[in-house]
Amino acid sequence: MIIFLIVETSIIVFLVMVSNTGRQSFPAISLFQYFKPGCSTLTAAIVAQNSQNRTAVFTCSGRAAIQMEPPLLESTAAFPAAVRVVPTFSLPSSYIELYLNFEGYVNGDCTKQNLIPLTSGKPMTLVGFWSYNYCAIVTNQAGLAGGFTIEWTSSPWPNPCCKISASPSQLTISPGQKSSSTVTLTSQGTFGGNVSFSYGITFISGGPNFVSLNATFSPPSITLKPGSSNSTTITVTAFASDVPEVDHITIEAYPQGVNSFDFPGTRMDIIVNIT
């Protein structure tokens, strides 16, 4: 018996041949997360009203309007993977705004915060929740609010804002002392704007299994112009009680004023040796 395994971008196919007399093909298995409308026709219910407008929730007859189903191999995941999608729609004149709402988080009633505004043709990222409903604000001037159609399509992930480097990329520090590295960002494509920094620390080896470092950035944010570079300084301090160990400091740069999922961060590691 000979088993061939063919792996492509989005399918796994098994071909089984026994004595050249039999051949079986397994169906494709998606290697990516699903984005699945719960139904083709939504139902509406008014959940709030004032003197100017009404708030309506749109569901699949009480079930979630959008399901974030995981791939088969990730069916036990605690949270669904992020998806990048684009809504396309044309709102009737009686509609003021259209939103997505975390179904279950506020019971899909649209009367609380954490609504996600929808803009036709604008890519967006959905992450962290299993299901969503629609919410709409409708003017009271219309006796009957007309229906409309929304279409969802996949969208490619945007490129990071910039490239990142550090000099030096490895620091050696004695307990109670500090050391610094220059972190440089270089704009990619046409990106321009303010960029902030954050960091995380991972214990690698050596002393007790805990991290005993802190770090600061000076300045904590910089401005990048398209095609240009700019820098900040990260200063790492080892606790006085520290013992010899090796840690990784992961530096992340992310554009200010945007959803971090809509513009992926730029990361790199600095190795810190505490001697």
Side-chain angles (χ1 to χ4, degrees):
M1 180 176 63
I2 303 175
I3 300 177
F4 297 90
L5 174 63
I6 303 174
V7 180
E8 298 180 352
T9 301
S10 60
I11 61 173
I12 296 178
V13 178
F14 292 91
L15 302 180
V16 181
M17 292 183 291
V18 181
S19 302
N20 297 322
T21 60
R23 176 172 177 170
Q24 295 176 316
S25 295
F26 282 71
I29 300 175
S30 174
L31 299 183
F32 303 99
Q33 65 284 331
Y34 298 146
F35 174 89
K36 181 181 178 182
C39 58
S40 59
T41 303
L42 299 167
T43 58
I46 303 299
V47 294
Q49 186 169 355
N50 57 36
S51 59
Q52 285 79 39
N53 53 58
R54 290 161 285 173
T55 301
V57 59
F58 295 86
T59 66
C60 290
S61 299
R63 295 179 293 106
I66 294 175
Q67 298 284 349
M68 296 279 284
E69 296 184 0
L72 177 63
L73 300 180
E74 296 180 7
S75 59
T76 60
F79 299 101
V83 295
R84 184 78 170 164
V85 288
V86 180
T88 302
F89 56 90
S90 179
L91 291 178
S93 59
S94 54
Y95 285 75
I96 299 173
E97 189 66 85
L98 183 66
Y99 303 90
L100 282 184
N101 191 36
F102 306 147
E103 195 274 333
Y105 180 73
V106 289
N107 299 319
D109 60 10
C110 303
T111 59
K112 298 185 180 180
Q113 297 180 355
N114 290 314
L115 300 178
I116 306 171
L118 295 181
T119 301
S120 183
K122 180 182 178 180
M124 62 186 300
T125 303
L126 298 180
V127 61
F129 291 88
W130 290 111
S131 54
Y132 297 83
N133 285 324
Y134 296 96
C135 299
I137 308 299
V138 185
T139 178
N140 282 339
Q141 302 304 314
L144 179 65
F148 63 95
T149 299
I150 184 169
E151 179 182 2
W152 292 93
T153 54
S154 61
S155 174
W157 292 91
N159 292 323
C161 67
C162 38
K163 294 181 180 179
I164 187 170
S165 62
S167 180
S169 59
Q170 181 168 322
L171 302 176
T172 299
I173 311 174
S174 299
Q177 302 301 307
K178 63 182 64 176
S179 184
S180 298
S181 176
T182 299
V183 179
T184 301
L185 299 182
T186 301
S187 171
Q188 288 198 155
T190 60
F191 175 81
N194 294 327
V195 182
S196 296
F197 297 92
S198 65
Y199 73 93
I201 303 176
T202 305
F203 172 85
I204 301 302
S205 64
N209 191 14
F210 61 85
V211 172
S212 50
L213 297 172
N214 60 34
T216 58
F217 293 95
S218 180
S221 65
I222 61 175
T223 299
L224 276 182
K225 296 180 179 180
S228 71
S229 299
N230 203 348
S231 300
T232 187
T233 298
I234 183 172
T235 300
V236 182
T237 303
F239 293 177
S241 59
D242 206 355
V243 297
E245 66 182 45
V246 178
D247 299 313
H248 278 180
I249 292 186
T250 301
I251 301 171
E252 180 175 15
Y254 51 94
Q256 292 181 0
V258 301
N259 185 329
S260 61
F261 294 107
D262 285 339
F263 218 130
T266 301
R267 298 179 181 86
M268 74 163 296
D269 288 340
I270 288 181
I271 300 174
V272 179
N273 294 296
I274 300 175
T275 58

